[in-house]
Amino acid sequence: MPRETLNRDQIVRAAIELLDAEGVDGLSMRRLGRHLGSAATAMYWHVGSKDKLIALAGDHVWGEVGLPDPDAIGWRDAAAAFAQEWYAMLTRHQWLMPASSAHIIYGTETARRQDHCYRIFETAGFADEELDAAVATLLTFVTGTALEDAAAATTRARIRREGGDEEEGVKEVLEWANGIAREFPRLRARIDAGAQARITQASTKIAFGVGIILDGLQARLDAGTGGAPQP
């Protein structure tokens, strides 16, 4: 595709397709150019650099997260829905968490979601330092949970690039990790009980964890401490 017929949005969307399939290590301007039927120089002309492209792609996928209205459905339901959509986006685009550790990913869509998260907790009654802490607590839980999933996705992508059997490779890694965990009694008991399979279900770990966080924040509000930092 000639440079003149391309636009930045087309390039960003194509980059997201490659990132979803291969991760950050699988993205190059040359490969993206082939994907679009154009020269790598056209990619640079439209987006500037690979780092800039990853930042644009990251901000674009943030736009997939909905903005539930806390005035319409209540702050708790809005916070829970926001967290679920946020986690679902990170699950669809598992390159985003590893990319965020090496690239500055920020833009209008990212800022709009951050601002909305503040709005949700402001509606609840949090202010000042407690507002920052409430937002940070939800952010830390969702991103931490997604980071665990992203690590598994990165392993799968590496195995694919190396031409290995993806399922066998992941199985080998899990067996290695479980072998270490079994040396510790409480971890061994949870493995034997099948807990690992249950807690890795996204609907379980996100809904349960977010529920606990919101219970704790609600308790602070009920105690009248939501608007002021506590020792």
Side-chain angles (χ1 to χ4, degrees):
M1 185 181 295
R3 184 175 72 184
E4 292 76 14
T5 63
L6 282 173
N7 59 53
R8 175 177 284 189
D9 186 64
Q10 288 174 311
I11 293 173
V12 169
R13 290 177 182 275
I16 291 169
E17 291 178 6
L18 286 179
L19 287 164
D20 287 346
E22 300 294 340
V24 173
D25 290 342
L27 176 67
S28 70
M29 294 305 206
R30 186 185 300 275
R31 190 170 185 186
L32 182 59
R34 287 199 303 267
H35 184 67
L36 287 168
S38 186
T41 53
M43 309 300 108
Y44 288 107
W45 191 83
H46 282 284
V47 300
S49 67
K50 179 179 174 179
D51 286 345
K52 176 70 172 183
L53 177 58
I54 291 172
L56 290 168
D59 189 57
H60 185 93
V61 299
W62 263 105
E64 298 174 8
V65 178
L67 303 172
D69 186 355
D71 294 325
I73 65 176
W75 79 270
R76 284 194 59 141
D77 285 346
F82 186 81
Q84 288 281 5
E85 288 213 22
W86 183 0
Y87 178 78
M89 180 274 288
L90 293 173
T91 300
R92 287 192 298 273
H93 307 292
Q94 292 186 332
W95 52 270
L96 184 58
M97 292 301 299
S100 296
S101 68
H103 301 80
I104 296 175
I105 295 178
Y106 204 76
T108 301
E109 297 300 336
T110 309
R112 182 174 289 116
R113 270 71 194 171
Q114 288 183 337
D115 186 78
H116 190 75
C117 195
Y118 272 93
R119 179 192 164 197
I120 289 172
F121 288 108
E122 272 188 347
T123 302
F126 291 100
D128 302 323
E129 291 92 342
E130 289 266 333
L131 175 61
D132 294 330
V135 171
T137 299
L138 188 66
L139 181 150
T140 300
F141 174 72
V142 174
T143 56
T145 304
L147 186 60
E148 179 183 357
D149 296 339
T154 299
T155 298
R156 289 179 179 275
R158 176 181 56 77
I159 293 169
R160 284 197 303 272
R161 286 196 305 274
E162 294 173 355
D165 185 302
E166 183 177 328
E167 293 307 317
E168 284 301 314
V170 172
K171 181 180 178 182
E172 181 179 330
V173 171
L174 289 175
E175 288 177 350
W176 168 78
N178 281 339
I180 295 173
R182 282 184 173 279
E183 297 177 12
F184 299 86
R186 294 171 187 82
L187 296 180
R188 183 174 63 248
R190 301 320 301 149
I191 292 171
D192 291 342
Q196 186 66 25
R198 291 195 298 274
I199 65 171
T200 53
Q201 296 177 17
S203 59
T204 299
K205 60 185 175 183
I206 287 295
F208 185 73
V210 169
I212 288 176
I213 289 169
L214 298 182
D215 284 346
L217 293 174
Q218 182 68 64
R220 292 189 72 83
L221 291 171
D222 293 344
T225 61
Q230 299 298 303

